[in-house]
Amino acid sequence: MEVTCLLLLALIPFHCRGQGVYAPAQAQIVHAGQACVVKEDNISERVYTIREGDTLMLQCLVTGHPRPQVRWTKTAGSASDKFQETSVFNETLRIERIARTQGGRYYCKAENGVGVPAIKSIRVDVQYLDEPMLTVHQTVSDVRGNFYQEKTVFLRCTVNSNPPARFIWKRGSDTLSHSQDNGVDIYEPLYTQGETKVLKLKNLRPQDYASYTCQVSVRNVCGIPDKAITFRLTNTTAPPALKLSVNETLVVNPGENVTVQCLLTGGDPLPQLQWSHGPGPLPLGALAQGGTLSIPSVQARDSGYYNCTATNNVGNPAKKTVNLLVRSMKNATFQITPDVIKESENIQLGQDLKLSCHVDAVPQEKVTYQWFKNGKPARMSKRLLVTRNDPELPAVTSSLELIDLHFSDYGTYLCMASFPGAPVPDLSVEVNISSETVPPTISVPKGRAVVTVREGSPAELQCEVRGKPRPPVLWFRVDKEAALMPSGLPLEETPDGKLRLERVSRDMSGTYRCQTARYNGFNVRPREAQVQLNVQFPPEVEPSSQDVRQALGRPVLLRCSLLRGSPQRIASAVWRFKGQLLPPPPVVPAAAEAPDHAELRLDAVTRDSSGSYECSISNDVGSAVCLFQVSAKAYSPEFYFDTPNPTRSHKLSKNYSYVLQWTQREPDAVDPVLNYRLSVRQLNQHNAVVKAIPVRRVEKGQLLEYILTDLRVPHSYEVRLTPYTTFGAGDMASRIIHYTEPINSPNLSDNTCHFEDEKICGYTQDLTDNFDWTRQNALTQNPKRSPNTGPPTDISGTPEGYYMFIETSRPRELGDRARLVSPLYNASAKFYCVSFFYHMYGKHIGSLNLLVRSRNKGALDTHAWSLSGNKGNVWQQAHVPISPSGPFQIIFEGVRGSGYLGDIAIDDVTLKKGECPRKQMDPNKVVVMPGSGAPCQSSPQLWGPMAIFLLALQR
């Protein structure tokens, strides 16, 4: 009969310690990723140096109870480079492809409501080296006494870098310096952007015509390679020179095809030509080919400045600009200005009157105006004057002035603007002057001074204008300083005086001013009126949701308060319990006139009265709801994350135990906790072990402890903990516990290092060897790894188990060494025993050495054990006695053999005080790897309690 057994977790007796463990947050920033170096600078701040384009990883490790929340912020650098702030535990800040503008000081803020928040910072220094730029300049001066020209050439090399770059100048392959050549001067100019070095060639000589290289270096910081740029100086080297095929101002008609050529007249090396447009990019359809710019079917929007720039890094760039003007006219307006001298605002016979006409045109100065009266051209006289540029009005505005207005001057005046000889349509505007022509008045229609609408609805604000002619109406916001109109503009123009708003929002509430425009009407003081817009919106209440806890039998008062709304009053308040309508609570006399909240009192919390309460508050526009969850449930436990060394492993098995600690949140808020329900489930498994843990009265801040045992290395587990009171189950808390290798330093114990944790028990890779040991298991093995070498699994035979090994494939060579160094141990005994398992399988196996590094006087490495050659596809155990005379470390050294089939592995390293077992393990009694084809033999000392337990059940 086959027996199937599920081994439950053994839970040892429960302990509790009466101590207040609530503690303020503490934080520490650690780094990961591709950092170049972390250093302390002169003002004792942490500096994290990273290469531009690499990945920045900062982690804020926190302690404190309750578990602190973490938030990252940043100062310095570019304000536009923001990253999302976080509020999760031990949050890792990760920035992919970091840019130089993202350098600066990063702050980790941890707070848990106890004491003051903990704030730590680190300065991130982003290292970079751009491509250098080299420009050539020269000066020419007459030396009349000797009748020749002295020419001095400056080669300027500029680069942006961090840290500051080092410059090296070369002529050909020879490095230049002051001491080697009197005709050379190298210096750093003042007031330059970026790093700059100038090579000055004084009184140019024939040998100075050569190739010059500027090499820049940041001394390989962060692995950034040097960069260089080369320029060949000849006797024909010259800056660029240009000329245009058209005038600098080009006026064209709309629809024409425009072609502009930018011609090179000088420059060596051959300059590069580039066209640009301001403002904005080149027009759609424009083609820039070399020095030729073509714009097909040009339109008014294509007007602007077109720049042709030639560069060859010699002297200053040459630049020519064409101002392209496409003829156009728009926005014809007029003004009626009564007699200014007599300060009149009306048209009166016997007084002067001025009519003005203006259009927006390109080019403005080419516009011509013509005035007509009653369809006939207006004739100049002593009383009728026409001016082209009125100094009191915008430029190129035509005015017709009537002196001593007569009745015969009444009539219809027409102003026509045109571009003579251009295919641009004329624009005209008509003004009627009569006894009925009167200045405007403005008012708000009756009942429209206050407009009230609901949020999301359309609204129309109206001002009526009377007068002849009726000018446009301009609208402004009044009650908000520098506020914009809903359209985003400072003002809006309406031809009929009606401001139409779509889908109004509450921030549109306020006072709006309407006023008459001073164009297309009388040029007089604007007339004004105001309209009030009230936008009604549903109420906002607090709390939107509240968790109310109280012990059984105690009263509870629920309050739902009105924060804001329009109208700001409570029209009705309705209470419901579990969706069922409740009778209205009695009205409090003091709050009966203008209540700003609604209350419901529960005389006693019971199981029947526990549940969801809902208060719906209305203000006739809409309603909002306060939700209350009333119960006597206990709050969730608060797991304690700062337990020192919570993991304890067992030497003879792949099991570990874990010290679980927690406090109870607000235990006095409800009835006392009677027990806890503990559920433990291995991740990726469905079955869970459940256990009830009785407790006595729990105090606030009291640290509770329970030890979980028989957890399997290296698996992680989900732990759920639920408090129980007389009311029943409280809120559950959950966490994931991970296996971490116990570190045997500085106090030695019988713990065994299984290498299941990434920290590998504090072991480190030696920096003086040729390559590193690798941590892997059967699941992380390279599927293309070399066959017939290396172990398929660790000593436990499980695919999840990790071990350390050396990979001897290319580029490894014969004799390459990899060293794995233990933590530093303080010698407190005369003799120690190092026990470990090794796997040496493959026809090219080299050597495995165990060394002891003594730290008495310097570092002295001594060989303690060595083994070479192929030992088969089996794990074997070695016991090595050592007797260090002071603080020491142990070193596992793997040496590459003659070929790639030489992978060596180690696992389950134990260091304990005392002598090694006198009888060594029989090499024939070894653990043979599954699938190796060898008999399955094993030593009882490798069997753990779980295996013994299963064996007993099968018997």
Side-chain angles (χ1 to χ4, degrees):
M1 178 178 178
E2 183 177 351
V3 179
T4 302
C5 173
L6 172 66
L7 178 64
L8 300 182
L9 295 172
L11 303 172
I12 72 169
F14 167 80
H15 302 279
C16 69
R17 294 199 295 264
Q19 56 177 319
V21 294
Y22 288 109
Q26 293 185 357
Q28 177 187 4
I29 296 177
V30 297
H31 56 88
Q34 305 172 44
C36 303
V37 63
V38 177
K39 61 184 180 181
E40 306 288 331
D41 70 2
N42 294 334
I43 56 175
S44 298
E45 65 175 355
R46 295 192 64 200
V47 181
Y48 180 89
T49 304
I50 187 171
R51 178 174 175 170
E52 186 174 44
D54 287 348
T55 299
L56 171 71
M57 291 182 63
L58 300 176
Q59 189 176 21
C60 190
L61 301 180
V62 296
T63 59
H65 190 70
R67 185 69 164 168
Q69 287 191 331
V70 175
R71 187 177 69 172
W72 285 95
T73 56
K74 172 182 176 287
T75 60
S78 172
S80 63
D81 295 314
K82 297 179 179 178
F83 55 87
Q84 186 174 356
E85 294 182 349
T86 57
S87 293
V88 293
F89 300 149
N90 286 5
E91 177 62 296
T92 297
L93 172 65
R94 182 184 180 94
I95 301 178
E96 302 281 354
R97 299 186 60 82
I98 190 169
R100 65 193 64 180
T101 54
Q102 293 174 306
R105 181 171 292 281
Y106 287 80
Y107 291 87
C108 157
K109 181 179 181 181
E111 53 186 336
N112 62 355
V114 180
V116 297
I119 300 177
K120 295 292 182 181
S121 70
I122 187 170
R123 183 161 62 84
V124 175
D125 194 15
V126 181
Q127 311 281 280
Y128 57 90
L129 177 64
D130 291 344
E131 294 292 337
M133 293 184 60
L134 196 154
T135 57
V136 180
H137 305 267
Q138 67 178 16
T139 61
V140 179
S141 60
D142 291 331
V143 183
R144 297 182 180 179
N146 295 330
F147 301 101
Y148 73 95
Q149 286 188 328
E150 180 185 87
K151 182 184 291 186
T152 299
V153 173
F154 300 87
L155 283 80
R156 177 188 295 260
C157 185
T158 302
V159 70
N160 293 316
S161 68
N162 182 36
R166 180 179 63 183
F167 292 78
I168 299 175
W169 281 100
K170 294 181 180 180
R171 179 191 289 133
S173 59
D174 298 329
T175 301
L176 296 174
S177 65
H178 296 283
S179 59
Q180 293 178 347
D181 192 335
N182 292 331
V184 170
D185 189 13
I186 300 175
Y187 64 93
E188 181 176 345
L190 299 175
Y191 311 115
T192 56
Q193 183 176 1
E195 301 291 325
T196 303
K197 275 289 193 303
V198 174
L199 172 64
K200 180 180 179 182
L201 304 176
K202 300 177 287 187
N203 190 15
L204 206 62
R205 304 160 299 178
Q207 64 265 33
D208 293 329
Y209 294 115
S211 293
Y212 291 87
T213 299
C214 172
Q215 180 177 329
V216 292
S217 170
V218 289
R219 294 160 291 281
N220 202 38
V221 63
C222 294
I224 300 175
D226 296 353
K227 297 183 179 181
I229 186 171
T230 299
F231 183 88
R232 181 162 183 79
L233 182 66
T234 69
N235 57 1
T236 61
T237 299
L242 292 174
K243 71 175 183 180
L244 291 173
S245 63
V246 298
N247 296 328
E248 291 186 353
T249 300
L250 181 61
V251 182
V252 297
N253 294 319
E256 292 182 357
N257 296 327
V258 175
T259 299
V260 181
Q261 287 186 321
C262 186
L263 305 174
L264 282 171
T265 60
D268 183 22
L270 184 66
Q272 298 292 321
L273 293 173
Q274 185 174 8
W275 281 97
S276 61
H277 177 230
L282 290 174
L284 212 59
L287 179 63
Q289 210 165 26
T292 302
L293 174 66
S294 302
I295 307 175
S297 187
V298 72
Q299 301 298 319
R301 61 179 176 272
D302 300 331
S303 295
Y305 290 94
Y306 290 80
N307 306 306
C308 174
T309 306
T311 57
N312 67 348
N313 292 337
V314 178
N316 295 319
K319 184 177 180 181
K320 292 292 184 180
T321 300
V322 177
N323 183 15
L324 179 63
L325 301 176
V326 182
R327 293 186 179 96
S328 64
M329 289 192 299
K330 59 182 180 180
N331 298 336
T333 59
F334 70 89
Q335 288 181 323
I336 302 172
T337 306
D339 198 324
V340 177
I341 297 177
K342 296 182 179 180
E343 299 182 353
S344 176
E345 291 194 347
N346 295 285
I347 297 177
Q348 298 183 25
L349 296 175
Q351 294 185 358
D352 297 345
L353 180 68
K354 181 165 64 175
L355 307 179
S356 304
C357 172
H358 178 79
V359 295
D360 297 329
V362 176
Q364 189 74 50
E365 65 276 4
K366 299 298 182 180
V367 176
T368 63
Y369 294 93
Q370 190 175 2
W371 285 91
F372 297 84
K373 179 185 177 183
N374 296 329
K376 298 180 181 180
R379 296 182 178 179
M380 299 275 288
S381 66
K382 293 182 179 180
R383 291 194 314 102
L384 193 151
L385 304 177
V386 176
T387 59
R388 175 175 171 79
N389 287 300
D390 192 326
E392 299 177 357
L393 296 171
V396 194
T397 298
S398 179
S399 295
L400 183 148
E401 191 167 359
L402 298 171
I403 309 298
D404 188 17
L405 185 67
H406 292 182
F407 182 79
S408 60
D409 295 327
Y410 287 167
T412 301
Y413 293 82
L414 183 139
C415 172
M416 181 177 293
S418 61
F419 277 129
V424 178
D426 297 340
L427 286 182
S428 62
V429 63
E430 195 175 75
V431 187
N432 185 268
I433 301 298
S434 69
S435 60
E436 297 179 355
T437 305
V438 294
T441 62
I442 194 168
S443 62
V444 179
K446 186 177 181 181
R448 302 287 297 173
V450 178
V451 178
T452 301
V453 295
R454 293 192 175 187
E455 191 171 36
S457 302
E460 183 179 274
L461 310 185
Q462 183 177 357
C463 285
E464 289 185 346
V465 179
R466 292 182 175 86
K468 189 177 182 181
R470 293 183 181 178
V473 175
L474 306 179
W475 289 88
F476 305 84
R477 296 289 295 265
V478 175
D479 53 352
K480 294 186 177 181
E481 184 178 351
L484 300 176
M485 296 293 289
S487 64
L489 301 173
L491 64 90
E492 287 192 39
E493 175 185 325
T494 59
D496 57 359
K498 295 180 180 179
L499 178 64
R500 296 172 177 86
L501 305 174
E502 300 292 336
R503 295 186 60 83
V504 297
S505 57
R506 63 193 67 181
D507 60 334
M508 296 183 186
S509 297
T511 305
Y512 290 75
R513 182 178 76 243
C514 58
Q515 71 177 43
T516 57
R518 301 182 70 169
Y519 53 88
N520 291 347
F522 276 74
N523 181 21
V524 295
R525 176 182 54 83
R527 276 51 171 170
E528 299 180 353
Q530 291 186 349
V531 179
Q532 177 70 32
L533 175 62
N534 293 332
V535 179
Q536 293 184 332
F537 55 90
E540 295 181 13
V541 296
E542 71 171 2
S544 58
S545 178
Q546 185 177 3
D547 186 12
V548 180
R549 305 291 176 102
Q550 186 60 276
L552 292 173
R554 295 182 184 175
V556 167
L557 180 65
L558 308 180
R559 169 177 288 195
C560 184
S561 300
L562 175 65
L563 288 180
R564 60 187 66 87
S566 179
Q568 181 77 15
R569 62 181 179 83
I570 297 178
S572 64
V574 177
W575 287 90
R576 289 181 173 85
F577 173 58
K578 296 181 179 178
Q580 301 297 318
L581 192 65
L582 294 177
V587 178
V588 181
E593 295 183 0
D596 61 354
H597 64 272
E599 291 183 347
L600 177 67
R601 181 179 178 84
L602 304 179
D603 294 330
V605 174
T606 64
R607 288 184 176 84
D608 293 336
S609 64
S610 297
S612 176
Y613 288 81
E614 175 185 307
C615 176
S616 178
I617 285 182
S618 172
N619 67 346
D620 293 334
V621 176
S623 60
V625 174
C626 295
L627 292 176
F628 302 91
Q629 192 66 36
V630 178
S631 75
K633 290 172 57 178
Y635 285 105
S636 61
E638 302 163 314
F639 283 114
Y640 189 69
F641 288 83
D642 300 333
T643 306
N645 300 320
T647 305
R648 300 171 185 174
S649 66
H650 304 285
K651 177 180 177 181
L652 297 178
S653 69
K654 281 287 186 174
N655 292 347
Y656 71 97
S657 60
Y658 194 91
V659 180
L660 186 71
Q661 295 181 314
W662 71 94
T663 59
Q664 178 61 39
R665 178 186 169 197
E666 302 296 339
D668 299 329
V670 296
D671 298 294
V673 176
L674 302 177
N675 60 73
Y676 287 91
R677 181 179 183 269
L678 177 67
S679 170
V680 182
R681 179 183 64 86
Q682 181 181 319
L683 293 187
N684 302 321
Q685 300 291 330
H686 298 291
N687 297 330
V689 176
V690 179
K691 174 77 173 181
I693 306 172
V695 294
R696 298 179 180 178
R697 181 172 180 83
V698 178
E699 303 291 340
K700 183 174 182 178
Q702 180 181 2
L703 188 63
L704 309 175
E705 179 180 300
Y706 200 88
I707 299 180
L708 308 175
T709 63
D710 286 340
L711 307 177
R712 294 294 294 168
V713 174
H715 296 292
S716 299
Y717 291 82
E718 180 191 41
V719 176
R720 296 184 178 186
L721 196 61
T722 306
Y724 275 77
T725 64
T726 54
F727 177 79
D731 291 338
M732 182 268 296
S734 67
R735 65 170 293 190
I736 304 297
I737 59 173
H738 302 281
Y739 174 75
T740 56
E741 286 280 7
I743 297 178
N744 298 340
S745 173
N747 296 319
L748 297 177
S749 68
D750 289 342
N751 280 330
T752 298
C753 181
H754 304 290
F755 301 111
E756 303 297 345
D757 186 79
E758 292 181 355
K759 298 178 182 179
I760 56 174
C761 313
Y763 279 77
T764 57
Q765 307 283 357
D766 194 337
L767 300 179
T768 64
D769 56 9
N770 305 110
F771 65 110
D772 288 342
W773 286 79
T774 302
R775 172 180 171 267
Q776 75 170 21
N777 62 15
L779 302 178
T780 61
Q781 287 178 352
N782 186 347
K784 298 181 180 180
R785 68 190 183 97
S786 304
N788 301 319
T789 187
T793 65
D794 76 335
I795 184 65
S796 69
T798 60
E800 298 88 1
Y802 282 87
Y803 55 88
M804 301 297 293
F805 87 112
I806 60 169
E807 171 61 65
T808 57
S809 301
R810 295 182 62 184
R812 302 277 65 85
E813 297 179 353
L814 177 65
D816 280 358
R817 299 173 184 270
R819 287 185 164 193
L820 189 66
V821 184
S822 77
L824 181 65
Y825 301 109
N826 291 318
S828 57
K830 186 176 181 180
F831 299 105
Y832 292 88
C833 183
V834 181
S835 301
F836 59 94
F837 283 86
Y838 58 88
H839 189 281
M840 302 172 68
Y841 171 51
K843 66 179 182 180
H844 300 142
I845 290 291
S847 301
L848 175 62
N849 302 320
L850 178 68
L851 298 87
V852 178
R853 176 172 292 174
S854 175
R855 291 285 185 174
N856 256 352
K857 297 180 181 179
L860 177 62
D861 296 347
T862 305
H863 274 76
W865 180 89
S866 183
L867 193 64
S868 301
N870 184 1
K871 302 305 177 186
N873 189 16
V874 292
W875 283 100
Q876 304 186 53
Q877 190 176 32
H879 302 286
V880 182
I882 61 174
S883 54
S885 58
F888 68 97
Q889 294 170 286
I890 59 173
I891 301 173
F892 287 94
E893 180 183 67
V895 184
R896 202 255 195 186
S898 59
Y900 65 91
L901 298 179
D903 297 351
I904 299 175
I906 60 172
D907 197 7
D908 287 14
V909 179
T910 302
L911 176 65
K912 61 182 297 184
K913 298 177 183 179
E915 296 182 352
C916 290
R918 291 185 179 180
K919 185 178 181 181
Q920 299 289 319
M921 173 182 285
D922 186 346
N924 295 319
K925 294 182 179 180
V926 294
V927 178
V928 181
M929 303 315 302
S932 66
C936 183
Q937 303 175 12
S938 63
S939 171
Q941 65 182 9
L942 302 177
W943 287 49
M946 179 179 180
I948 296 172
F949 174 75
L950 289 173
L951 185 61
L953 286 177
Q954 290 174 349
R955 291 176 180 174

